[in-house]
Amino acid sequence: MEAPHQGMNGVPTDISLVAEPGQGRDGALPRNAQIYFIAVAITAAAVTLPFIGRLQTTHQWPAFLILASAAAIARLFVVRTPADQAYHTDIVFLIPAALILPPELLVLVAVVQMVPEWLKMRYRWYLQTFNILDYSLSAMAAWFVGRWLILEHAGIASDALRLSLAGLAACVVFVAVNHVLLAVMLRLARGFTLRETGLFDAEYVATDLVLAALGVAVYAFWETNPWLVPFALTPLFLIHRSLSVPALQAEARVDPKTGLFNARHFAAALSEEIGRARRFERPMSLIMADLDLLRDINNTYGHLAGDAVLKGIAEAFRGQLRHYDVPARFGGEEFSILLPETPPEQALEIAERIRRAVAERTFDVETSSEPIRATVSIGVAGFPKDGTDANELIHQADLAVYRAKLQGRNRVLGASSEPLLVPADRATRLIAVPEDGDHHAPLPAATQVQPLEERREVRHPRPHAVHGPRFLSLDRRLSLIVGLVSAVGVGAGVVGLALTWTSRDLLGLLTVVGLVGVGQALALEADEGSAVLSVSAVGCLAAASLFGFRAALPLALASVAVEWSARRAPLHNVLFNVGALTLASLAAASVFKIAAFFPDGTAHELAASGLGLLAGAAYFVVNMGLVSLALALQGHERWWSVFRERFAWLLPHYLVYGFIGGVMALAYEAVQLLALAVFAVPLLLMRKTQEAYLKHTQRSAQKLRQAAETIQSQNVSLELANKLLKERSTAAMESLSATVDARDSYTAGHSRRVQQLALAIGRELGLSPAELDLLGHAALFHDIGKLAIPDSILLKPASLTIDEWALMQRHAEEGARIIDRLGFLNDAVPAIRHHHERFDGAGYPDRLQGEDIPLGARIIHVADALDSMLTTRIYRAARPAAEALQELREAAGTQFCPRCVTALERILPLDSLQSDAEKTRLSLVAS
């Protein structure tokens, strides 16, 4: 059996693993698994075949069709989890089938429910067959214990007790048999241990039992009134949504465009790995990579081409990384890679492999007839040499990327503090989680502005909350509203309690009040405590339907008391909340009283249950209307504006709450307190989902706020670094440039003209200001190495000998060495060293070719050649401008970079130049 792609399933559990179409007869089970398969099949046949003969006399075919169809449909809505688990909700229909149908029809349910899934997925025959056998034995065991043993032969006089025991036994037996059968198969077929299957983890067993308990509620409704079954299934939608949360969380870890991890997951993995490396004193490294010139790709070929390049680069990363490395898209065109157990030296090798793989890769896009290419600039930082926390490592690797880009892109550099003069006392660095979405160029440093005080509060969260105006002081109108709402609400609650009081079903009323209190105790604070999330509104609406006006005041007091005990709100808040919630519950109870005018009968009961929608709307309007009024008075705003902007969007949620409350009331009339327990479980699951989502959102918001602040401070530090670099280098640049030009009268002004031409080409190619600044330095010093060349060779009017030419070629290396010794222009060294490399690889000193040559060196090469051809030298006369440009065109792709030559043509249209006299205009045009 092949390794699971969507592994063992959970609720109910099966082995419906994904099989490729056409593989239905190719695979085979291991021998031990085959023996177990045969044993299960024999057992299932022995249990079910004696009942098959009854099919001709059975009379419950309508119930079979309904339950089998529902189970088959539910099975199609599977929820996949990141842990290779799959949840099926068809157990909700299998449990009532086991308690309602005779065994001969129950066996057919296990077969029929698999048919739609098999038609859709076409699993291998033995997988689907084992699932049928598993379900058949599990359902038959539930039937035997739940129906035959307890419902029919236990002799328990109390119907409610007998139903509860039968439902509990059926749930436990079904889940136990199902999991045990599958666990053994996975052990024999896949070699999984019990822990690896996850079948007996508390989380999965609890989910099984919750769904099975809902199936018991479906059975109870079926026995009372089958038309009410759809209302019993409403919690199934909440459960299905809750089960989808892990899958959504897995999707939230992956960048959808590249398939790599996203920045949030990378930050968590980096923090965990740093902790492990610190505890065990192990090495680890971090790679930051930036796609070069993505903007040019988007502008030239379209954004879809840019997306294709991003995907291709992600594939190149995967091809060069180990299975335990963590590649992620950091944001926009930036990528980050975590390399556990990797020292910086090895990380530099991996980074170089990645750089070469990307540079050699071609990308086919629809908007280009030829494949396009792309390059990446990469920085590497190691723990603990370059940093001991996540922020420091990312900062150092990011600075290395910045240096690599300044040196001409398509480079790999390790972390170093030499090239950029960043102040030692700078503020916090770039943090682990960047902003979401596409990358944007850093903003310039901005003046700190104290924001004006915002008079409006944060709008309320989605679920029900106990709300109240948060006053620092009460003005006259606000005091009047608080007093009026409190007095009218409490008074109306007391009147309703006195006029409708009865001791009938007092236990049920106290139970609902307790559930509402528990729901409020489990409330979640959102937006730093400015609002409270709670699902207690469902209990309030259910109590309004069941117990009428007498429940309004006790529910409000219980809810507000729990709220006060947790947060110690001021007295006026407490009084306002008691009054508002009491009036809201009274409004909902008034709506439910309309059901008293309906005649008896199923159709009228269904219509009455629909009153829950109207009751939820009434509860919402009264509660949120009063809160909006108080907030409007507090903030000196219009009431309708506050209600519309902050609370109107909550109406659909309260409609759902009202409907669920109405269904809970119907269920309570059927099965009493069991209905409250059944409905409480899905609500608790929903609360857990809200808690996970809220914590995740709050952490993300906090990280994003920190990122915004630290990115701002990082921009300031980089600006200061550039300013210091410029100040320190100004005097040295002027003196060295004058030294170079003074040696040869024929080349006077050559370096300055090359600088102007190079900057013009760089601007045409879209280089950033920082890259242009570095290009200007490199162009000005591109011939500084000629200081080491003797005058007898440099000023020789005749042709150079081989030895003399070899010595002349060393000026590029010598110039790079001179500038490197200065210590503050290290990023200009590659452009100076390689400005005589040819595009075809025949240049010097390192015979680089194509995109491996730094972009700055390619630009200087073109500018240097043009100025040399247009200037009279000791060994030849100047050439016409049109002829010089034509030679550059002819050598594009062999000696010169085609992109640079094309950019030069755009800024210098020399086709129109007819005489050498016009060449003097070049420097003016270039500048």
Side-chain angles (χ1 to χ4, degrees), residues 51-65 97 100-109 143 147:
F51 299 99
I52 298 300
R54 303 181 184 180
L55 287 175
Q56 296 180 352
T57 58
T58 189
H59 300 290
Q60 296 199 35
W61 288 103
F64 162 78
L65 292 176
I100 295 171
L101 298 178
E104 59 272 15
L105 292 179
L106 181 59
V107 174
L108 292 183
V109 171
W143 168 83
R147 180 175 176 175

Side-chain angles (χ1 to χ4, degrees), residues 68 73 76 107 164 245 263 306 325 343 382 432 453 458 464 567 573 630 637 649 696 712 748 776 910:
I73 294 173
L76 294 176
V107 174
S164 300
V245 170
D325 295 330
E453 183 179 357
V458 180
H464 171 68
R567 296 169 178 84
N573 286 62
E637 303 176 61
W649 61 283
H696 178 74
Q712 186 77 351
L910 298 180

Side-chain angles (χ1 to χ4, degrees), residues 395 399 417-426 429 714 716-718 720-722 724:
H395 175 71
L399 288 180
S417 60
E418 294 181 0
L420 292 177
L421 300 179
V422 181
D425 58 346
R426 66 186 184 276
R429 280 80 179 271
Q714 182 62 31
V716 174
S717 68
L718 292 177
L720 292 175
N722 292 332
L724 291 174

Side-chain angles (χ1 to χ4, degrees), residues 680-712:
V681 174
L683 292 176
L684 292 177
L685 289 176
M686 187 171 69
R687 186 264 181 193
K688 185 177 181 180
T689 302
Q690 293 170 351
E691 180 183 20
Y693 174 79
L694 182 60
K695 289 182 178 179
H696 178 74
T697 303
Q698 290 174 339
R699 286 196 302 267
S700 300
Q702 182 181 6
K703 290 179 179 179
L704 291 176
R705 284 194 297 267
Q706 293 175 352
E709 296 172 358
T710 52
I711 287 174
Q712 186 77 351

Side-chain angles (χ1 to χ4, degrees), residues 514-593:
L515 289 177
V516 170
V518 171
Q520 193 61 41
L522 298 176
L524 304 171
E525 287 192 2
D527 300 322
E528 299 180 355
S530 63
V532 179
L533 302 179
S534 173
V535 294
S536 58
V538 178
C540 293
L541 289 164
S545 175
L546 287 171
F547 309 110
F549 300 127
R550 61 175 171 149
L553 185 58
L555 288 172
L557 291 174
S559 182
V560 174
V562 173
E563 174 74 10
W564 179 85
S565 65
R567 296 169 178 84
R568 293 297 192 273
L571 178 61
H572 52 263
N573 286 62
V574 174
L575 295 176
F576 181 89
N577 289 335
V578 171
L581 290 178
T582 301
L583 292 174
S585 296
L586 290 173
S590 300
V591 173
F592 280 118
K593 286 298 181 181

Side-chain angles (χ1 to χ4, degrees), residues 353-363 373-375 852:
R353 290 204 309 266
I354 292 175
R355 185 199 66 80
R356 287 199 301 266
V358 173
E360 294 170 359
R361 191 182 185 94
T362 59
F363 305 93
R373 293 181 178 273
T375 60
D852 290 339

Side-chain angles (χ1 to χ4, degrees), residues 173-245:
V173 170
F174 185 98
V175 172
V177 173
N178 186 291
H179 282 214
V180 169
L181 289 176
L182 181 59
V184 176
M185 174 57 81
L186 290 177
R187 174 63 179 174
L188 297 176
R190 303 290 175 82
F192 291 164
T193 64
L194 291 181
R195 177 183 294 272
E196 290 172 341
T197 64
L199 295 175
F200 298 97
D201 291 348
E203 177 183 356
Y204 298 113
V205 173
T207 307
D208 285 10
L209 295 176
V210 167
L211 286 171
L214 186 57
V216 176
V218 171
Y219 167 72
F221 272 70
W222 184 287
E223 292 296 312
T224 304
N225 190 335
W227 293 101
L228 300 180
V229 169
F231 298 97
L233 295 175
T234 52
L236 185 60
F237 296 98
L238 295 176
I239 295 174
H240 191 275
R241 185 177 181 86
S242 299
L243 294 177
S244 302
V245 170

Side-chain angles (χ1 to χ4, degrees), residues 487-501:
V488 173
V490 174
V494 171
V495 171
L497 186 63
L499 295 180
T500 62
W501 172 255

